[in-house]
Amino acid sequence: MTERRGRGRPRENDSDTSAAISRAALQRFAAQGFDATSLREIAGDAGVDVALISYRFGGKQGLWKDIVWQAGAALREALERALGDSEATGAQKRLEHSAHAFLTYLLDRPEVPRLLLRDITIDSDRSKWLLETLSLPLHRHFIELAQAAAEERDKTPAHLEFRVANFIYSAASTVARRERLAKLVGDMEDDAQFAAALEEVLVAGALMP
């Protein structure tokens, strides 16, 4: 006998529900910060029972870590894909491809750098976890590429490690604060011009002079 479907909307599967919770939490954390956001607000935005969040993620801290882990996994995938597309080119081009992929990731998901910058600048367990889980691997990724590019050019820029760290944090900070920047600098509301300015200033101007 075929089971009849009840009236109303079909129930979402577990992955759909978890994705809805993650999206709602990311928006809240990015806009309000971790401490100012309640699980009840997230549950209301996601349209789920608040107890389900604790059951799925182990509470607000677990939900935050899951979001950061997902963001890091998506970024690593984007960077690996960029390197895969540039395997036949030299070290300089590989660095350029990775830098472009990083900026594209931030521009496509501006709520991610907003969330991360709220927590990386404070002394907390979240800041330490974020440093070890996302910042240090990202820094190592770009340091290796930048050193290879410097060897290829037979010219190592001064303070190379600082340049790499500054590129990463400046990119995230600039994207996160784009609306404020647009009030000071003209044409920053245009997506293409904003992206072009980021690449010219942060990549060609600072990371690879």
Side-chain angles (χ1 to χ4, degrees):
M1 178 181 294
T2 303
E3 183 180 354
R4 293 184 178 180
R5 185 184 298 277
R7 294 182 178 179
R9 294 177 59 188
R11 293 179 60 185
E12 294 181 321
N13 60 39
D14 289 348
S15 61
D16 289 337
T17 303
S18 293
I21 294 171
S22 295
R23 285 194 300 270
L26 175 56
Q27 295 296 332
R28 284 283 182 176
F29 289 149
Q32 301 176 182
F34 180 87
D35 293 328
T37 298
S38 70
L39 287 182
R40 194 166 298 280
E41 288 175 319
I42 296 171
D45 293 344
V48 301
D49 189 287
V50 67
L52 181 63
I53 299 178
S54 294
Y55 175 76
R56 290 274 177 92
F57 298 95
K60 189 164 72 167
Q61 182 90 342
L63 176 57
W64 180 89
K65 285 187 174 183
D66 186 76
I67 290 171
V68 174
W69 184 88
Q70 289 185 44
L75 176 55
R76 286 191 297 273
E77 181 180 340
L79 294 175
E80 288 170 5
R81 187 165 56 248
L83 288 180
D85 293 342
S86 62
E87 274 186 357
T89 64
Q92 180 78 12
K93 285 295 183 182
R94 288 166 64 83
L95 177 57
E96 291 175 3
H97 279 295
S98 269
H100 177 76
F102 178 56
L103 294 178
T104 299
Y105 174 88
L106 295 178
L107 290 167
D108 288 344
R109 304 168 181 81
E111 65 277 3
V112 172
R114 283 199 292 268
L115 174 139
L116 300 181
L117 287 171
R118 285 182 176 275
D119 290 288
I120 196 66
T121 55
I122 60 176
D123 185 16
S124 70
D125 290 338
R126 294 194 310 279
S127 176
K128 296 173 183 176
W129 189 85
L130 181 58
L131 179 67
E132 295 172 359
T133 305
L134 187 57
S135 298
L136 287 176
L138 185 61
H139 189 262
R140 284 194 293 267
H141 171 87
F142 277 107
I143 276 292
E144 291 177 4
L145 292 174
Q147 288 174 335
E151 291 175 4
E152 182 181 76
R153 297 165 60 191
D154 196 24
K155 176 185 177 183
T156 301
H159 312 295
L160 184 59
E161 289 198 16
F162 180 79
R163 287 178 183 276
V164 169
N166 185 65
F167 163 71
I168 293 170
Y169 286 111
S170 293
S173 178
T174 303
V175 172
R177 296 174 172 84
R178 179 180 174 182
E179 292 182 3
R180 295 184 183 179
L181 181 64
K183 296 178 180 179
L184 301 173
V185 182
D187 298 326
M188 289 300 100
E189 294 180 356
D190 181 85
D191 291 342
Q193 291 184 346
F194 181 61
L198 272 178
E199 290 224 20
E200 184 173 351
V201 173
L202 296 182
V203 181
L207 181 59
M208 301 180 296

